[in-house]
Amino acid sequence: MGMDMTVLVVDWAHLMDLAPEDRLRVVQESAYADDDPDGGGDVVDGWVWPAAGSERAWLGRYEFPGTLGSYKPHFWAAEGWETVRGAAGGGVRAALDEFLEGLIWWGPQADVDAEHVDPGVFPSLEGLWRPGPLIVRDPATVARLRRRWHEAAPELEGLRIPYGELAGRGPGQWVAGFEEFAELVAGWAEVVEEAERRQWGVIGLPI
């Protein structure tokens, strides 16, 4: 799990207006554009927005605090949830199950990989520049995940004690304490909230 990932909110109408065979290439080129690495716009609360009116104004990038773009914290947050979820109340467990399974967690069945890619967006992933974690969530999925987060959020603090008791730090583990877990999950909530507010989708690409 040494792969890095960039997380984008994307104007879905613009994306779906592109020829299907061009979408993956265009998203990657726009996400990785090195001619204007900070988008020519402001960086506010983890968000990097292209300058208004630029050709890349149909997407924004979220940088999770303290992760340096690495996917490892997301992996370890999923591991932590896997460890602690049995101690969570039924309501928060169901809500966080769906929220995290929609983004980074592989689900309660260890032998079945969670699918983080909504169909009908990229007809082929053969043009993916790098192997690694991929997230493709359309606006309908984003709206569902936001609802589940709002159900889970009021109960999140109740996980502090069981998280401390059950999810100890191991070798190479980036997210061990409850505060680290909660911060990373809140980052995903920020991404989903912003995408839903704009009626956009979410894409996570390996970098």
Side-chain angles (χ1 to χ4, degrees):
M1 285 295 173
M3 190 62 61
D4 293 344
M5 181 174 65
T6 189
V7 176
L8 310 167
V9 293
V10 176
D11 183 334
W12 221 248
H14 178 89
L15 177 66
M16 298 306 282
D17 277 345
L18 300 173
E21 63 273 15
D22 292 338
R23 290 172 190 160
L24 183 58
R25 175 186 58 80
V26 171
V27 170
Q28 291 181 126
E29 290 176 352
S30 299
Y32 302 147
D34 56 7
D35 57 329
D36 190 11
D38 288 331
D42 295 329
V43 182
V44 180
D45 295 330
W47 287 102
V48 181
W49 296 106
S54 77
E55 292 183 358
R56 297 170 57 226
W58 54 279
L59 55 79
R61 185 174 78 245
Y62 184 75
E63 298 182 348
F64 286 80
T67 68
L68 302 177
S70 174
Y71 188 74
K72 287 182 179 179
H74 305 277
F75 168 79
W76 284 112
E79 285 277 286
W81 176 240
E82 178 74 22
T83 300
V84 78
R85 64 183 293 271
V92 67
R93 181 168 63 245
L96 269 182
D97 271 357
E98 188 169 347
F99 181 74
L100 294 177
E101 191 173 5
L103 297 166
I104 58 172
W105 183 51
W106 43 86
Q109 299 180 12
D111 59 340
V112 179
D113 289 335
E115 179 57 76
H116 299 136
V117 179
D118 285 333
V121 182
F122 299 134
S124 171
L125 298 179
E126 291 182 0
L128 195 64
W129 289 358
R130 298 173 181 85
L134 182 68
I135 300 166
V136 182
R137 292 311 196 189
D138 64 27
T141 300
V142 165
R144 174 175 58 81
L145 295 176
R146 178 182 178 273
R147 289 193 298 270
R148 297 306 266 166
W149 168 249
H150 279 259
E151 294 171 16
E155 307 298 327
L156 193 64
E157 182 64 27
L159 297 175
R160 180 181 296 274
I161 292 176
Y163 202 100
E165 293 174 345
L166 298 172
R169 185 181 297 277
Q173 188 166 338
W174 284 43
V175 173
F178 173 79
E179 294 291 347
E180 295 167 306
F181 172 80
E183 181 180 34
L184 190 131
V185 173
W188 278 111
E190 171 74 14
V191 170
V192 168
E193 291 275 5
E194 183 65 26
E196 204 277 337
R197 184 180 72 81
R198 294 169 178 262
Q199 297 184 326
W200 285 11
V202 171
I203 293 179
L205 291 171
I207 58 174

